[in-house]
Each structure stands twice: as structure tokens, then as C-alpha cells.
């Protein structure tokens, strides 16, 4: 008979939550915000912080993209993400940007800290992570690309990074 696609109810999952937080620096697209919920839930993220300018969880387009995951991932909206980053660092988080910078390291070269909490920072669709928040980060990772384009959608970058972080945490 060959391959048969399974539905959600037929898949056995090893459900778990990792000590991973996501900080969304000025995400404006409701679809991107919704998909951030969706990939975060899929990879066991504990909490998401959004800037106050991001679409709220009652936004119809966000809800459609999130497919109800906005109800199951803890989230908070903040007027000041700088304060959140500073507090998370005080609380023992490694705060890591997903951004191409002059000092960023390829995600292929990073061994994520397995015994510490991780906060991943993603930036606005057009401008990336703000300069004031970049200066607060422990370091940045980037995803190597092999075409002419040097960037991908924020949700795609987050999904790739979450896959790698959760893979390392799971085998670590």
C-alpha cells in the first residue's frame, strides 16, 4: 500500500516544554505573530514576549495563523523589551539574537547551553532586531544561506533555530 499520511490524532508525540523564551522585537504582521505561536508550541517554547506594537491574540488574522496555539503558549506584551531582556539576563537566561551581524556565528557552529535557560530574540520584518536590543544580547546566530538572498522570513528563521536548539537540548 505504501506511505499513508497521518492526521494529528494518529501521531504519538513526546510532548515537553523546554526552558526557552522568545522575545519578538516589533513584529507587526498578524500572520507572523500567529505563526510564531504555532512554531513555538510545536518546539516546546515556554513563553513568548511581544512588544506592545505587535498584534494582540484576539486579532482574527493572528488567530487563523496560530490555529489555537496562542491559547496554549504563555505570552506577554511589553512596552519595554529592553527591561525584559535585562531581567531575563539577571534570571540566568542566555539571550541570543537571530540576526546577521558583524559578530554573529553560524547556527551550525553553536553549541547551545544545555544546562541554562535560553531566550531567543527575533526582530521586525523589515529592520530586524533594534540596535538598543542588539547591544544587550549575549551573542547572535545566523543561518547560513547559499543563494543571493541574505535573509529569510522571521518565522522561518525562528523555526530553523528552534529546531536546532530543541534538537541539542533533547540529545544533550
Amino acid at each position: 500500500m505504501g506511505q499513508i499520511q497521518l492526521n494529528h490524532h494518529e501521531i504519538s508525540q513526546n510532548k515537553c516544554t523546554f526552558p526557552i523564551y522568545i522575545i519578538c522585537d516589533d513584529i507587526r504582521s498578524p500572520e507572523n505573530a500567529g505563526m510564531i505561536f504555532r512554531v513555538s508550541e510545536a518546539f516546546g517554547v515556554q513563553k513568548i514576549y511581544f512588544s506592545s506594537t505587535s498584534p494582540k491574540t484576539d486579532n482574527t488574522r493572528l488567530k487563523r495563523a496560530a490555529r489555537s496555539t496562542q491559547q496554549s503558549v504563555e505570552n506577554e506584551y511589553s512596552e519595554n523589551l529592553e527591561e525584559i531582556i535585562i531581567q531575563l539576563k539577571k534570571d540566568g537566561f542566555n539571550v541570543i539574537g537571530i540576526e546577521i551581524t558583524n559578530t554573529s556565528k553560524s547556527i551550525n557552529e553553536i553549541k547551545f547551553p544545555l544546562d541554562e535557560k535560553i531566550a531567543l530574540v527575533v526582530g521586525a520584518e523589515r529592520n530586524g532586531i533594534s540596535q538598543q536590543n542588539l547591544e544587550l544580547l549575549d551573542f547572535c546566530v545566523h543561518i547560513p544561506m547559499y543563494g543571493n538572498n541574505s535573509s529569510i522570513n522571521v518565522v522561518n528563521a525562528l523555526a530553523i533555530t528552534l529546531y536546532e536548539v530543541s534538537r541539542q537540548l533533547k540529545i544533550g
Side-chain angles (χ1 to χ4, degrees), residues 85 89 95-97 121 129 133-140:
I85 292 170
K89 288 178 83 163
V95 184
I96 303 165
V121 182
I129 300 170
N133 288 335
L134 267 179
E135 292 172 9
L136 297 173
L137 305 180
D138 293 313
F139 62 93
C140 285

Side-chain angles (χ1 to χ4, degrees), residues 96-100 103-112 139-146 152 157 159-165 167-168 171:
I96 303 165
I98 305 173
E99 187 74 75
I100 299 171
T103 61
S104 62
K105 300 171 185 153
S106 170
I107 196 167
N108 298 337
E109 301 169 1
I110 299 296
K111 298 291 181 239
F112 290 95
F139 62 93
C140 285
V141 296
H142 65 263
I143 298 160
M145 290 179 228
Y146 307 104
I152 56 176
I160 291 167
T161 305
L162 282 173
Y163 170 80
E164 182 58 23
V165 172
R167 185 190 70 78
Q168 287 186 27
I171 63 173

Side-chain angles (χ1 to χ4, degrees), residues 28 40 47 71:
R28 299 288 180 112
S40 293
K47 185 171 185 176
Q71 298 170 2

Side-chain angles (χ1 to χ4, degrees), residues 21 49 84-94 117:
Y21 285 18
Y49 288 98
I84 299 292
I85 292 170
I86 291 167
Q87 185 59 52
L88 288 175
K89 288 178 83 163
K90 286 180 184 174
D91 293 343
F93 278 79
N94 282 289
K117 300 174 276 190

Side-chain angles (χ1 to χ4, degrees), residues 3-22:
Q3 300 269 348
I4 298 173
Q5 185 179 28
L6 301 176
N7 67 39
H8 294 293
H9 305 292
E10 296 172 315
I11 300 169
S12 65
Q13 311 247 112
N14 295 327
K15 191 169 168 73
C16 67
T17 302
F18 295 105
I20 301 172
Y21 285 18
I22 307 299

Side-chain angles (χ1 to χ4, degrees), residues 98-100 123-128 142-157 160:
I98 305 173
E99 187 74 75
I100 299 171
E125 290 86 345
R126 289 202 181 274
N127 302 319
H142 65 263
I143 298 160
M145 290 179 228
Y146 307 104
N148 291 326
N149 193 8
S150 66
S151 69
I152 56 176
N153 173 275
V154 63
V155 178
N156 293 328
I160 291 167

Side-chain angles (χ1 to χ4, degrees), residues 1-126:
M1 181 156 168
Q3 300 269 348
I4 298 173
Q5 185 179 28
L6 301 176
N7 67 39
H8 294 293
H9 305 292
E10 296 172 315
I11 300 169
S12 65
Q13 311 247 112
N14 295 327
K15 191 169 168 73
C16 67
T17 302
F18 295 105
I20 301 172
Y21 285 18
I22 307 299
I23 301 169
C24 299
D25 187 353
D26 204 29
I27 297 297
R28 299 288 180 112
S29 160
E31 291 82 5
N32 281 341
M35 289 304 296
I36 287 169
F37 275 108
R38 198 163 166 191
V39 299
S40 293
E41 193 279 333
F43 287 105
V45 166
Q46 192 170 345
K47 185 171 185 176
I48 305 170
Y49 288 98
F50 287 98
S51 53
S52 59
T53 57
S54 293
K56 305 303 183 262
T57 56
D58 63 352
N59 180 289
T60 302
R61 290 168 37 206
L62 181 150
K63 290 193 298 189
R64 191 174 309 125
R67 296 185 65 178
S68 300
T69 56
Q70 79 280 8
Q71 298 170 2
S72 59
V73 179
E74 184 180 353
N75 61 89
E76 183 178 321
Y77 289 78
S78 173
E79 291 285 332
N80 191 336
L81 290 179
E82 290 176 64
E83 289 176 2
I84 299 292
I85 292 170
I86 291 167
Q87 185 59 52
L88 288 175
K89 288 178 83 163
K90 286 180 184 174
D91 293 343
F93 278 79
N94 282 289
V95 184
I96 303 165
I98 305 173
E99 187 74 75
I100 299 171
T101 71
N102 61 326
T103 61
S104 62
K105 300 171 185 153
S106 170
I107 196 167
N108 298 337
E109 301 169 1
I110 299 296
K111 298 291 181 239
F112 290 95
L114 304 180
D115 56 345
E116 297 178 31
K117 300 174 276 190
I118 297 172
L120 297 173
V121 182
V122 294
E125 290 86 345
R126 289 202 181 274

